[in-house]
Amino acid sequence: LEKGRGGLPRHSHRARIRVRAARGALNMGEEHARGAEPGDAVAATSTGDDHAPLDGVTITQSLIAKCATRAETRRGVDEPLDKYLARLTHLKMDGRNIARIDALGCAPGVRVLYLYDNAITRIANLAPLANLTHLYLQNNALTRIEGLDTCANLQKLYLDGNSIAHVDGLNPCQRLEELHVSGQRLRPGEEVGFDVDACAALARTLAVLNVGHCNVRDVKPLKELASLRRLDLENCGVESVRDLEPVLLNCKRLSELKVLGCPFAKNPKHRDHITLLSDSLTVLNGREIKPHERQFLIQLQARRMRQRRMQAQRSQQQRQHLETIANLGEGTVDHGFDAPAGVAGINPGFDPLSPGAMLGGDLSPAGQHSPGGGFHRVTGGSVESLDGMTPQGGVVNGISRDGGGMSPGPSPSRRLDLHGVGDDSVRTE
């Protein structure tokens, strides 16, 4: 009977009821054998229970005695009931249709309390259990977290499968290490939120947080959990990695994270982004992050950042150069550069960050490429080409001048002799 429930499937409700009934009958037989009064025996099932109200079962001393199933806490033959209950440390009262927590003062030594799969609507009357460290309240009818003011030693709290929409009321639990609130049964569109003060109160101790299968969108309060090591956000409503970034940057001890089912997890690159944001993360979605994988991503990111900085510097230099040309003034000669369209006062519409400008090519004012460069005069806000002009002793675009004559000839240099040009100022680049 003790192992029977563990081997039954969760959906086998009738089989579970039969096991409870048989367990209750066995316990009743043991109490009669010890000489207990018939009035102390309370049936373990919801049917045939004289103490059960219409909305569920009430906890009594007899029920607590029946639920003490650990071998080391078996009641002695002549042991009084109150002494027996006082030395209990583990109490299993799961699956008994209990509607209210009460009458636990008779077992003040309980450290582990199992109350899952019941009909409890409020967390209350836990003050007698000053040594309580583990509390299991999954699959009940709870709508808020309360009644934990005296649970200063609580280490693990299980609240999965309830109807809790806001996680708060945990400030007194200064030693809480694990909090499980996954699978909350909420109305459509309702979200699970976290209280910032409650998260700050648990910053030094909370290491495990499970909020999977809840409509959690705002995870910023979780950045207060500096000691967090394992975080489960499977099938939540987190929209972007940016929403998760404060948590990854502040939780320096986080080693395991689950985000499958979140909207941003549809992007296959989300693993790379998360790996780069958290240096301590070792397991993501159940898959190990190996050191060489992180090192490759770090090097790739550094290379991309260098390329972006270089591109930004080139763009800035190009912009400054174009502004300088536009401000040279009338009568200035420039060579070796054809001003692209869009320079202030010369060619509107030019974008210095356009592909043509970024490639470093010389674009003529009409948008055509001038492979050989040329000489230009800035006159009245316009650029005048001087490509056919041959100064004395100079060579321009393969045309040389020797002794007053014009003769074609190759020239590796684009130098300009200032003799014969006139009084105009010359800019050489």
Side-chain angles (χ1 to χ4, degrees):
L1 289 175
E2 297 302 330
K3 298 181 181 179
R5 185 184 180 280
L8 293 175
R10 294 184 62 86
H11 61 273
S12 182
H13 183 64
R14 293 182 179 178
R16 290 170 61 186
I17 291 178
R18 288 196 296 269
V19 170
R20 294 174 195 165
R23 182 184 298 168
L26 180 62
N27 290 336
M28 289 178 65
E30 291 179 354
E31 289 200 359
H32 283 296
R34 297 191 190 107
E37 296 182 2
D40 293 337
V42 181
T45 60
S46 59
T47 58
D49 194 321
D50 297 334
H51 297 270
L54 295 177
D55 55 350
V57 177
T58 301
I59 299 177
T60 62
Q61 287 188 358
S62 299
L63 180 61
I64 294 175
K66 295 187 185 80
C67 295
T69 58
R70 295 174 63 88
E72 62 270 19
T73 56
R74 290 290 184 181
R75 182 180 178 184
V77 177
D78 298 327
E79 184 179 11
L81 180 60
D82 54 347
K83 291 184 177 181
Y84 168 62
L85 297 179
R87 63 183 180 87
L88 293 178
T89 58
H90 291 66
L91 189 57
K92 290 179 63 66
M93 294 191 293
D94 53 281
R96 296 180 179 273
N97 197 29
I98 296 173
R100 181 184 177 184
I101 302 175
D102 201 359
L104 296 177
C106 60
V110 171
R111 298 197 306 266
V112 181
L113 180 59
Y114 299 92
L115 286 170
Y116 57 88
D117 293 341
N118 282 296
I120 300 171
T121 57
R122 289 187 59 192
I123 305 175
N125 302 320
L126 294 176
L129 306 182
N131 298 321
L132 187 65
T133 59
H134 296 61
L135 180 57
Y136 296 81
L137 287 168
Q138 306 99 306
N139 301 322
N140 279 278
L142 301 173
T143 57
R144 56 181 300 181
I145 303 176
E146 57 183 344
L148 300 176
D149 298 338
T150 59
C151 299
N153 294 317
L154 192 63
Q155 298 177 4
K156 296 183 180 181
L157 178 59
Y158 294 83
L159 298 171
D160 311 88
N162 285 280
S163 301
I164 300 172
H166 193 66
V167 179
D168 58 356
L170 297 171
N171 300 55
C173 305
Q174 297 293 324
R175 298 183 181 180
L176 191 65
E177 299 176 358
E178 295 188 16
L179 177 61
H180 301 263
V181 289
S182 64
Q184 298 300 314
R185 301 185 294 266
L186 304 177
R187 293 186 296 271
E190 193 173 4
E191 302 178 12
V192 174
F194 294 88
D195 182 68
V196 178
D197 295 336
C199 293
L202 303 176
R204 296 183 179 181
T205 60
L206 192 66
V208 177
L209 177 59
N210 182 6
V211 290
H213 302 275
C214 295
N215 191 19
V216 178
R217 296 180 181 272
D218 184 13
V219 294
K220 292 180 181 179
L222 302 184
K223 69 180 182 179
E224 305 292 339
L225 303 174
S227 301
L228 196 63
R229 297 181 182 273
R230 190 165 74 242
L231 177 60
D232 189 346
L233 291 171
E234 280 190 324
N235 294 297
C236 289
V238 184
E239 296 287 345
S240 172
V241 179
R242 291 184 178 273
D243 299 334
L244 197 61
E245 183 175 349
V247 181
L248 297 175
L249 294 178
N250 292 323
C251 298
K252 301 296 185 180
R253 300 181 182 180
L254 186 65
S255 61
E256 184 175 348
L257 176 65
K258 294 181 180 180
V259 293
L260 286 179
C262 293
F264 75 86
K266 297 178 181 178
N267 183 356
K269 294 293 184 181
H270 79 277
R271 180 178 177 86
D272 298 345
H273 298 160
I274 293 177
T275 302
L276 290 172
L277 286 173
S278 176
D279 296 333
S280 60
L281 204 62
T282 58
V283 179
L284 178 58
N285 298 327
R287 176 183 165 190
E288 181 184 1
I289 300 176
K290 298 183 178 180
H292 70 270
E293 179 184 358
R294 175 178 276 109
Q295 186 64 25
F296 170 77
L297 293 174
I298 292 175
Q299 294 176 354
L300 179 62
Q301 185 191 36
R303 185 164 61 250
R304 288 176 177 175
M305 291 181 66
R306 285 196 300 268
Q307 292 175 354
R308 291 172 184 173
R309 283 196 298 267
M310 293 175 61
Q311 184 178 3
Q313 292 175 359
R314 288 196 299 266
S315 301
Q316 182 67 17
Q317 293 174 359
Q318 186 80 359
R319 187 181 296 106
Q320 292 176 355
H321 185 62
L322 296 176
E323 292 176 354
T324 301
I325 295 174
N327 296 328
L328 286 176
E330 184 176 353
T332 302
V333 176
D334 185 23
H335 75 285
F337 178 80
D338 290 338
V343 179
I346 297 180
N347 297 304
F350 172 70
D351 183 7
L353 300 181
S354 64
M358 294 302 297
L359 291 173
D362 295 333
L363 300 178
S364 63
Q368 300 177 354
H369 183 65
S370 300
F375 300 90
H376 297 81
R377 181 194 304 274
V378 181
T379 305
S382 62
V383 179
E384 176 186 354
S385 176
L386 302 181
D387 283 347
M389 169 181 157
T390 307
Q392 182 180 358
V395 179
V396 179
N397 290 338
I399 301 178
S400 64
R401 178 174 182 176
D402 186 13
M406 304 289 293
S407 60
S411 175
S413 175
R414 297 175 63 180
R415 294 184 177 179
L416 177 62
D417 192 346
L418 303 184
H419 297 288
V421 177
D423 297 333
D424 296 333
S425 60
V426 179
R427 179 174 182 271
T428 305
E429 183 123 326

